[in-house]
Each structure stands twice: as structure tokens, then as C-alpha cells.
Amino acid sequence: MSSPLAKEAPLPRLTTLRQDLFALVVVFLVALPLCMGVAIASGVPVAAGLFTGIVGGLVVGALAGSPLQVSGPAAGLAVIVLDIVQRFGVERLGIVVLIAGLLQVLAGTLRIGIWFRAVSPAVIKGMLAGIGVIIFSSQFHVMLDDKPSGNVLRDLISIPKGIAKAFTLNDYVSSDKRKFRSKHLELMTALRREQAEIAEQVRKLLPNPASEPEALAKELEVQIESKPEGWDELVEHQAKIAEKVTAINAVVRDFEADHD
């Protein structure tokens, strides 16, 4: 026997499929990038913005609509979230959001939302405009591949400097200079590989060898009373590598001085 609720539930209609697909594309192209942008401006990982956008869309779609319901990423909260993250860390952000949600449920239950109608619209618009300036001042530097300072006034003042830095042409490098640098970079990479092999052999000879090649060179110069087998060969190999590195650095230094 079927329940009355099952009979009253509306079935999906194919006539709305076109509108639903269009809404899906719009949400994908607008809401998700906005979620990522708000996440970056809030100081949280980009993945957090994607997850909250997806979960929020599912929750909002399941609940009844309301004129005061926020169904998308609220950029105005980015400043508040950023302050919370800087003060308490991302780990405590979830707890703060949970408490804020409980307060909103309590305010809705007590019907105290009408009190906020006493706030002048000019105050709300001024607050949103200020938040927009804060977001613009920081994200403008990110757009120019620069790092914001964290101070709104300093970020605004340094916008012309950031633009000049972004559009400054790099020094022209000739083809011969690029080939020279590539060749000697390959040589240095090969020597670095040899040092890594020496480090692996030293690890087998010493109980606690250094992990860095720079410290390894010092260890190879240390004189110990009972030398393990193969120790002298490693010392000689490391000395040859050091000579090659010194010679390469001298050649590169002379070349750069002649082509400045």
C-alpha cells in the first residue's frame, strides 16, 4: 500500500531538463571558480572552496527557497574568514563555522531577523564596498604574479609598482649565452649525481653520515684512525668533483663577466 506522501511527490519532468542543464553549466562556470577565488582570498586551500561549493549547492537545493537565503559563495565573508584563519588557524575554522550556523538557526527560530531592518542600507553598502576594496587590494597583486603584503593600505599604494614590475621586460639573453648556461648546468647536474652516489656509499660505511652533499664533503676530509675499505677511493673521487666544480664556476664567472 503506497503512502499519500509518495503520491503527492512531484516527478521530474523532461520539459525542465533544458533549463536544468543550462543552470548546471552556469553554476559550473561561475560558482565554482568563484568558490576557488573566495577560498584563496580567505587564506584556505582551494580544495576547501570546491568542497564547500559542492556541499552547499546540494544542501541549498534540498531546502526550500527563501529571499534571505544565501545559495552561493559569499565574498563578503572572505575578510571575516581570513581573520579567523590568521588568528586561530584552519583547524579551528570548522568549529567557528558550526557555532555561527547554530546561532543563525537560533536567530531564525526566535524570528529576530526583522531587527536588522533597522540598519540603514547605506551602512550595508558601505561595508560591502569596503570588503570589495580589501579583496581587490590583495587579489590584484596575485593577478600580477606578486605577493600581497597583508596590509590593505600598503597593497593599494603598491598597485602602480606592481603593474610596473609585471610589465617590465626581462633582460635579453642571446642564443649563445643560453646554450652556454644549459651546457654547464648539465655538467653541474652530473656532478651532483656523482655526489649523491658517493653519499649512498658513505651511508654504508659510516653509522650516521651527513645527508647533505655540502656536509658530506667535510666528512670525507675527516681523518679517522680505522678507515673502512674503499674510504680512500671515495675521498679521491670527492676531491676530483670539488676540482671540477671549482673549474666550472671559474669558467662561468669569466664568461658572464665578458658578456655583461
Side-chain angles (χ1 to χ4, degrees), residues 5-17:
L5 293 176
K7 294 180 180 179
E8 295 177 359
L11 297 175
R13 294 179 298 177
L14 295 178
T15 55
T16 62
L17 181 60

Side-chain angles (χ1 to χ4, degrees), residues 39-235:
I40 295 174
S42 302
V44 299
V46 178
L50 289 175
F51 282 119
T52 52
I54 295 172
V55 173
L58 295 175
V59 172
V60 170
L63 298 177
S66 171
L68 302 178
Q69 188 179 49
V70 179
S71 58
L77 295 176
V79 180
I80 301 176
V81 175
L82 178 61
D83 184 66
I84 294 174
V85 171
Q86 290 178 343
R87 290 189 181 186
F88 307 106
V90 182
E91 298 79 9
R92 294 182 175 85
L93 178 61
I95 300 176
V96 175
V97 173
L98 176 62
I99 296 174
L102 293 176
L103 291 176
Q104 286 183 329
V105 172
L106 179 62
T109 304
L110 299 178
R111 300 182 180 277
I112 60 176
I114 195 173
W115 293 359
F116 292 96
R117 292 185 179 180
V119 180
S120 172
V123 176
I124 304 298
K125 292 179 181 179
M127 180 191 69
L128 294 178
I131 292 174
V133 172
I134 294 174
I135 296 175
F136 171 79
S137 64
S138 61
Q139 296 307 304
F140 191 87
H141 291 277
V142 176
M143 180 186 68
L144 298 177
D145 196 20
D146 200 2
K147 187 176 181 181
S149 63
N151 183 278
V152 179
L153 186 58
R154 194 179 299 118
D155 288 338
L156 288 173
I157 296 175
S158 60
I159 284 178
K161 182 180 179 181
I163 295 175
K165 181 180 178 181
F167 289 97
T168 301
L169 296 178
N170 296 327
D171 295 336
Y172 175 74
V173 180
S174 63
S175 176
D176 294 338
K177 202 170 185 178
R178 287 198 301 268
K179 291 179 181 178
F180 177 84
R181 290 178 176 177
S182 300
K183 176 184 176 181
H184 286 80
L185 182 60
E186 291 176 359
L187 293 176
M188 294 295 289
T189 303
L191 293 177
R192 190 77 173 182
R193 243 185 246 113
E194 292 183 25
Q195 281 191 323
E197 294 176 0
I198 294 177
E200 185 61 30
Q201 296 179 30
V202 170
R203 287 189 186 93
K204 298 177 181 178
L205 298 178
L206 298 179
N208 296 306
S211 58
E212 295 296 328
E214 291 78 7
L216 174 63
K218 297 180 180 179
E219 285 191 357
L220 292 175
E221 297 175 357
V222 175
Q223 298 295 330
I224 58 176
E225 296 180 359
S226 56
K227 296 182 180 179
E229 184 180 356
W231 182 265
D232 292 333
E233 289 79 0
L234 292 177
V235 173

